[in-house]
Amino acid sequence: MKKLNDGILAIKPSQTLAISSLAKQMVEQGHKVCNFSAGEPDFDTPDLIKQAAADALKQGKTKYTPVAGVPKLCQALSEKFKRDNGLDYKPSQIVVSCGGKHSLALVFQTLLNTGDEVLIPAPFWLSYPEMIRVAGGTPVFIHTTSDQGFKITPQHIERLATPLTKAIVINSPSNPTGVMYTPAELRALGEAALKHDIAIISDEIYEKMVYDGQTQVSMAAFSKEFYDSTITVNGFSKTYSMTGWRLGYTAGPEPFIKALSALQSHCASAPNTFAQWGAIAALERGAASIAEMVKAFDERRRRIFALMSAIPGVKCVRPDGAFYIFPDISSFGLDSVTFSKRLLEEEHVAVVPGVAFGADACVRLSYACGMREIEDGLARFARFCSKL
Ligand SMILES: *Cc1c(COP(=O)(O)O)cnc(C)c1O
């Protein structure tokens, strides 16, 4: 066989894998491991969603759907955008794909030519750079620290914009930091991008997981100019605890969506049929279960933030959304992989090293776990830090 695709060969294997397999090994050996490495809600998918998918199966809804998704789902998403985000996206401006991750991969492939640059605020969700590289683009990182609250400013965009800059990825609230931009901050970032004709890719997957009475604002909703330059990505995984269902969606200007849909027609045909019927039920009747889950996450967030902030030597930015906390552990003098490995070996606490997200000063903890685990795990985390 001749040499494989250069872009694929350049993909870095996940740096988090070593830690999670070590954690699994420990559980098998009978150790009680406090696991903060989950990237998904710990709640079951609400019954009404499961029932709708089961009904769809029984009714024989088991064949291909139109490429962009079941028309009823695209219609329901169009209504969701209007209701929740103040956005006018016609059903023909929406494509449902096999997970938000798939949506994003298609977005980059649709948008990028070889050599195009994409600005990525760091810490970042670890799939963005790899997806961009595979699509032939070049990720350009905007590094931020905990002292900056992990937020970029319009000046960063001004400084890094080149004629090759095609897009910027905004993920608010953020995985891994939990930080959310205010509407004014978002608008200022968007204005800087638009000035240089940089498209905005807005990953709004955590839009419902926001706390303290805040609401997430959609980039595309600021003005007609924003709307025309923004691609909105969202999904069902986090909002409805449907990670295994593999459903995400993209909305944007008609010509862009048409091109993305053509790409999807050749690489996926369409997303899973009966899962889409579950998603319709989620949009129509799932609001109560979101509220319940968000309330539980908020209680855990307060607790984990209070416990983490009290540990001497740890710097912790208060998370506004999602279900992650991203403490800065650099004062202990260990890189994030060594810190995470020793924390697991010595105290049986599993976290994800920040280097995976472009921030070696930090580690990521997900609070998609029970309150007992949070209390127990943070006591161990604190004991570990006190030994360093
Ligand atoms: C989880 C996640 C996604 C998408 O997840 P899917 O399960 O593929 O829908 C997208 N962006 C971020 C930042 C995420 O954390």
Side-chain angles (χ1 to χ4, degrees), residues 39-40 98-104 124-128 131 171 173-176 203-206 233-238 242-249 322-324 364:
E40 58 185 349
C98 314
K101 201 173 250 190
H102 185 223
S103 298
L104 284 159
F124 49 79
W125 185 51
L126 69 185
S127 293
Y128 298 138
M131 288 175 174
N171 174 218
S174 151
N175 176 5
D203 180 348
E204 304 183 356
I205 199 101
Y206 293 105
V233 178
N234 205 328
F236 292 88
S237 284
K238 312 294 160 60
M242 289 171 69
T243 45
W245 294 61
R246 310 311 304 129
L247 286 177
Y249 50 95
F323 42 79
Y324 309 103
R364 189 193 76 177

